[in-house]
Amino acid sequence: MSAMTRIDYSDGETPLIGHLVRPTGTPRAAVAVFPTFMNITEGVANKARALADAGYTAFVADFYGPESPHDFDSANSAMMRLRADPHAMRTRLRATLTKLGELEPGVPQVAIGFCLGGLAVLELARDGADLELVASFHGLLQTPLPAAQPIKPRILVCHGDVDFLVPRSHVKAFWEEMDAVQANWHFHSYARVDHGFTNPLTPVGEPNPAYNASADRQSWAALMGLLDEVLA
């Protein structure tokens, strides 16, 4: 698989550490990869490498900077602090897109995310980011700042139907929110599949009971197919 390079960037005075992987040849698009609430993990890194192998530049974002967590409790606390100020969170997310634009100027941008990262890419779409596509994998759907304007990117949501963090009431509210701003959205729901279905391992390296190989394959195929369509 392709090698990954550390990239230093910042959100104002907050230093951040991203991880970049480039394809051989000219990239089809530059993809911001927003990780889980644990920040970059091997599972997320592998998805970034898979994007590079498919012809895309992938840049894994840093949510937290110097307070980057090393265990579940510290990650949960860092996530709560990040989400406590939705406007500041969106500024943090946009810093990744800005850096990616510097790294790959003039290249179409896409954003994908997992878990908290799934929420992140939907927040960017709601915030008017100039992206071709956003794709959320087992991401959270609720927001304190619902979309109030037309959304530019195509939207792909890949969701486990029994995700304990996203009940069906959240799903219906998301559909209605997207319809209200005439978003172009695709919503794939996988029966009897729980949160975290794309990652074979937990953050501590043990088998993830929520992993679902079929949903992982089908959701990734959905992303690849939609990328082909929007970038044609």
Side-chain angles (χ1 to χ4, degrees), residues 54-96:
Y56 301 93
T57 292
F59 183 47
V60 183
D62 179 1
F63 281 127
Y64 308 121
E67 63 173 318
S68 192
H70 299 287
D71 57 40
F72 181 90
D73 289 340
S74 63
N76 192 60
S77 296
M79 178 179 66
M80 291 299 102
R81 289 192 294 273
L82 179 69
R83 295 185 64 191
D85 186 338
H87 294 285
M89 178 178 174
R90 289 184 177 184
T91 299
R92 176 69 49 85
L93 304 179
R94 281 191 174 270
T96 297

Side-chain angles (χ1 to χ4, degrees), residues 7-18 59 62 65 91-99 102:
I7 300 291
D8 292 292
Y9 67 116
S10 66
D11 168 22
E13 298 299 314
T14 302
L16 302 169
I17 298 172
F59 183 47
D62 179 1
T91 299
R92 176 69 49 85
L93 304 179
R94 281 191 174 270
T96 297
L97 300 185
T98 298
K99 187 62 180 180
E102 295 171 0

Side-chain angles (χ1 to χ4, degrees), residues 201-230:
L201 301 176
T202 68
V204 296
E206 297 173 352
N208 176 13
Y211 176 65
N212 186 286
S214 177
D216 186 22
R217 285 192 301 270
Q218 295 301 322
S219 59
W220 196 252
L223 171 64
M224 292 293 105
L226 198 51
L227 281 169
D228 284 341
E229 183 171 314
V230 301

Side-chain angles (χ1 to χ4, degrees), residues 44-220:
V44 170
N46 284 338
K47 296 297 189 186
R49 294 185 186 105
L51 284 165
D53 291 343
Y56 301 93
T57 292
F59 183 47
V60 183
D62 179 1
F63 281 127
Y64 308 121
E67 63 173 318
S68 192
H70 299 287
D71 57 40
F72 181 90
D73 289 340
S74 63
N76 192 60
S77 296
M79 178 179 66
M80 291 299 102
R81 289 192 294 273
L82 179 69
R83 295 185 64 191
D85 186 338
H87 294 285
M89 178 178 174
R90 289 184 177 184
T91 299
R92 176 69 49 85
L93 304 179
R94 281 191 174 270
T96 297
L97 300 185
T98 298
K99 187 62 180 180
L100 182 55
E102 295 171 0
L103 294 166
E104 294 286 15
V107 176
Q109 285 194 352
V110 170
I112 75 168
F114 304 85
C115 180
L116 175 61
L119 169 68
V121 302
L122 296 175
E123 287 298 287
L124 284 168
R126 289 168 170 129
D127 198 44
D130 185 17
L131 298 163
E132 301 301 319
L133 168 69
V134 300
S136 167
F137 298 86
H138 44 85
L140 309 181
L141 301 179
Q142 282 191 310
T143 179
L145 300 171
Q149 59 187 346
I151 287 176
K152 178 183 184 290
R154 296 280 289 275
I155 294 175
L156 172 65
V157 174
C158 296
H159 167 71
D161 187 53
V162 294
D163 188 329
F164 68 100
L165 293 175
V166 185
R168 288 186 179 180
S169 59
H170 293 190
V171 171
K172 186 172 185 292
F174 174 76
W175 293 347
E176 292 172 348
E177 178 197 359
M178 293 297 102
D179 283 347
V181 292
Q182 299 181 327
N184 190 340
W185 56 274
H186 299 231
F187 195 100
H188 297 200
S189 189
Y190 306 102
R192 299 181 298 281
V193 171
D194 208 337
H195 187 75
F197 61 81
T198 64
N199 195 354
L201 301 176
T202 68
V204 296
E206 297 173 352
N208 176 13
Y211 176 65
N212 186 286
S214 177
D216 186 22
R217 285 192 301 270
Q218 295 301 322
S219 59
W220 196 252

